[in-house]
Amino acid sequence: MTSCAFLCNISNGTYISLALSVPGERPGTISRYACNSLDDFNEAVFNFLEGHGNPTLMGAAFSTSGWEVDGEVDLVHYGFALKREGLRRLLNVSRVNIVNEFVAKALALPVLGDQDRTKVCGGEAMPEQVMAILGPTVGFGGALLAPDGMGRWTASHCEGGHSDFAAATLAEVEILKCLMLKYGHVSRERVLSIPGLVELWHCLAIMDGEDTVAEISAEEIVALAYADNERAKTAIRIQTEVFAGTASDYALITGARGGVYLSGELLDLLGDLFDHEVFSRRFHDKGRVSSYVRDIPVFKVIAEDTEILGLSTLFE
C-alpha cells in the first residue's frame, strides 16, 4: 500500500473508530472497536494495522473528547490517558496530531458535499468566511474554522459548553432556578447535552409539583416523545430552543457568515424529533440584529464519522 496516514477518533466513550487515508483522498473503510482500557486500545490498533497488511505510515492523527496537556490526553470517558510519545512508539511514526473532536469536525466542513449535510434555515454561505460547528454529546462541544486568505483554513477549539446558561423565556428562568439549587453555577451543557435532556425532564417534573421523580434515561425520554408524551415533547422543544439560541450566539460572537453547522450524538438520538421550525424561530430571534443571523445558513451534518474525514485533511 502507498504510504498513508493512520486516523483515530477516540471520543465516544465506548468505542474507537480507525481508518487509513491517502493524501487528497477520502478515508477508506472505517472500523470500530470496543474500547474500555488502554489494553483494549493497543489491541485494537494492532489488529487494525495487521488486518491492513501493516502499511507504512507517514503519520497519525487523533480526535479526542479532551485536550492535550504536556503531551498527554486524559480520556475521562474511557478511564485512561494517551501519551504522545507512547503513540509515536506504538505506531512507529514521528508525526502525531492530537485535536479535539470538534476541531476534527470543523476541519471536515470545507470538504462536505450536499449529501453530507441538510439545510435547517438561513441564506447562502459567504465564501472564505468563518464557519462554526457545535453540538450536544455527553457534553456540549464547539469549534470554528477561519480562512487564512491563501485557500486554507485554521481550526480553533472552544469550551463554550461551559459558558453560562442564559435563560430567554419564563420557562427557562424557572429551569435555571431549579438547576441553580442543584448545582450552583449552571453552564449551557447542563441543558445542552444528552444528560441535559434528563435534567430538563426532572426540572419540568418539579415545576409540575412532583416531590419525587423516577430515574429516566435520555433514550426513554425520546421514546416517550415518539409516543406523544407531553412532558417529553416539552423537554425536547425547550432543549431545541436553547440549542438554537446558543447557535446564534456562536454565529454573532464568531461572525460565522460561512455557515453554522450542527452535529452531535444527541441529534442522532432525536432523529425526526429535531424540529427545524422550532430551531429556526429561536435562531433568528436576536432583536436588532435578527437580519444578520437570518442571512447565515445553518446546516445539520448527516455524514457519519466527520471526525475521521476532518483528520484526513491534516495530511493533504
Side-chain angles (χ1 to χ4, degrees), residues 52-68:
H52 287 80
N54 290 313
T56 300
L57 299 177
M58 64 175 64
F62 298 80
S63 56
T64 75
S65 54
W67 53 90
E68 184 180 6

Side-chain angles (χ1 to χ4, degrees), residues 137-196:
T137 59
V138 291
F140 188 84
L144 63 88
L145 199 67
D148 66 0
M150 296 182 289
R152 297 186 65 82
W153 300 86
T154 300
S156 179
H157 170 228
C158 67
E159 283 296 329
H162 294 288
S163 60
D164 296 342
F165 169 51
T169 67
L170 293 177
E172 290 169 18
V173 169
E174 294 304 313
I175 289 166
L176 176 58
K177 290 178 181 177
C178 181
L179 292 174
M180 286 178 67
L181 288 173
K182 184 175 182 180
Y183 294 111
H185 176 260
V186 182
S187 64
R188 292 179 191 260
E189 73 175 16
R190 290 294 187 191
V191 173
L192 291 178
S193 60
I194 293 174

